[in-house]
Amino acid sequence: MKKMISYIRFVGLIVLIVALFAFTSERNKQRKINRVQIEFIEEQDPYVSELSVNKLLIQNQERVTNVGKEILVLNTVEQELDSHKMIEHSDVYLTVNGELRAQIKQRTPIARVNAVTPFYVDATGNTMPLSDSYSAHVPLVHNVSEREVKEVFPLLKMIQKDDFLKKHVVGVFRNHKGNYELEVRVYSFRTVIGKIENLNSKVKNFKAFYQKALKDKSLDKYKKVSLQFSNQVVCTIK
């Protein structure tokens, strides 16, 4: 008899747990998303606004906050965000209290190409449109088309990563021979890089020349500094 009572109690406990789980699950499905929180990860300039992200967080022409949690497909929301031309990556998730959170990583422009329709080159070597929210302080690139972005990208990436170049270089120019020149911030001389090859050696030579000429106070004397030739810097005086 005692075994029968224990068995009945055990079965009743199981039924109660299943019922509570089903009830909680149903209540959770019916709960509406009550808040949307957007977070921009990493310290970046605002190339895409929070308002623009909010506009993308829409399902079936309704605001996400009016959509039941059971019909909100997070992967779809992430795909919508990732399709934005200013967004590199997004992570969208729901909290237990019905809050929708979106973490946004923007794309990082490293150069602006001065074309008929200007555009940025980002840190991955892809093109991106100009932002309506913010203008990036990056080197200007002249006489380069979209098809030549891959060619010049190693130079742009080096400028972005190298503190010396990042401080002094404000522009990149591709001449009619396909050689590249740098425009420096203060001085008027042209710095001829030549073809996009042996960049480490060329930059090393340029740094050595610049520091010596700066010490000698002779930087104003030159109109062209050529780094095209192996292990040497050829200067043309004004």
Side-chain angles (χ1 to χ4, degrees):
M1 185 67 178
K2 289 182 179 180
K3 288 185 178 181
M4 179 63 69
I5 293 174
S6 298
Y7 177 76
I8 293 173
R9 286 178 177 175
F10 177 75
V11 172
L13 180 60
I14 295 297
V15 172
L16 179 61
I17 291 173
V18 171
L20 287 173
F21 178 80
F23 174 76
T24 303
S25 178
E26 187 62 28
R27 286 290 300 274
N28 188 56
K29 286 182 178 181
Q30 293 174 0
R31 187 182 301 167
K32 299 295 184 179
I33 296 170
N34 53 48
R35 185 184 176 193
V36 176
Q37 180 177 328
I38 299 168
E39 176 189 0
F40 291 92
I41 61 175
E42 301 184 3
E43 292 187 9
Q44 294 178 288
D45 296 314
Y47 300 111
V48 57
S49 67
E50 187 171 324
L51 178 61
S52 297
V53 175
N54 255 321
K55 288 181 178 178
L56 290 173
L57 292 174
I58 294 173
Q59 297 289 319
N60 300 321
Q61 307 302 316
E62 296 180 4
R63 292 188 59 80
V64 171
T65 49
N66 294 326
V67 180
K69 289 167 67 175
E70 77 280 4
I71 63 172
L72 179 66
V73 182
L74 297 182
N75 287 340
T76 301
V77 177
E78 286 185 352
Q79 289 172 7
E80 288 295 323
L81 291 173
D82 291 346
S83 67
H84 193 284
K85 293 183 179 180
M86 295 295 176
I87 295 176
E88 180 178 325
H89 175 71
S90 66
D91 184 18
V92 180
Y93 60 95
L94 286 168
T95 63
V96 293
N97 60 354
E99 182 178 79
L100 179 71
R101 294 185 180 179
Q103 292 184 326
I104 306 296
K105 185 180 186 304
Q106 301 178 105
R107 296 172 67 185
T108 304
I110 62 173
R112 173 172 172 162
V113 178
N114 188 20
V116 176
T117 302
F119 59 89
Y120 289 129
V121 178
D122 75 1
T124 64
N126 293 310
T127 63
M128 60 183 283
L130 302 187
S131 169
D132 295 329
S133 303
Y134 189 84
S135 181
H137 300 294
V138 292
L140 287 174
V141 181
H142 304 274
N143 202 30
V144 168
S145 64
E146 284 195 35
R147 68 175 179 272
E148 291 154 345
V149 165
K150 288 186 177 181
E151 177 184 84
V152 71
F153 176 66
L155 176 60
L156 301 179
K157 191 68 175 178
M158 179 167 282
I159 294 172
Q160 182 215 16
K161 286 187 172 183
D162 188 282
D163 290 337
F164 176 86
L165 295 179
K166 195 172 185 178
K167 177 181 178 181
H168 292 286
V169 176
V170 296
V172 176
F173 177 78
R174 185 178 188 272
N175 64 27
H176 66 283
K177 293 182 179 180
N179 292 322
Y180 286 90
E181 303 175 5
L182 303 180
E183 178 186 356
V184 294
R185 188 177 301 278
V186 178
Y187 301 98
S188 60
F189 59 80
R190 294 184 297 124
T191 303
V192 183
I193 290 288
K195 303 299 181 183
I196 306 296
E197 57 189 16
N198 302 320
L199 290 179
N200 288 329
S201 176
K202 291 176 180 179
V203 170
K204 181 180 179 181
N205 291 339
F206 179 57
K207 288 179 180 179
F209 154 78
Y210 192 96
Q211 295 301 330
K212 184 178 186 306
L214 183 64
K215 183 178 179 180
D216 297 340
K217 298 181 180 180
S218 61
L219 286 169
D220 286 324
K221 297 180 180 180
Y222 305 109
K223 67 176 181 180
K224 185 172 77 169
V225 176
S226 178
L227 308 171
Q228 299 180 83
F229 308 102
S230 178
N231 295 323
Q232 58 181 313
V233 178
V234 179
C235 301
T236 303
I237 298 176
K238 292 180 179 178

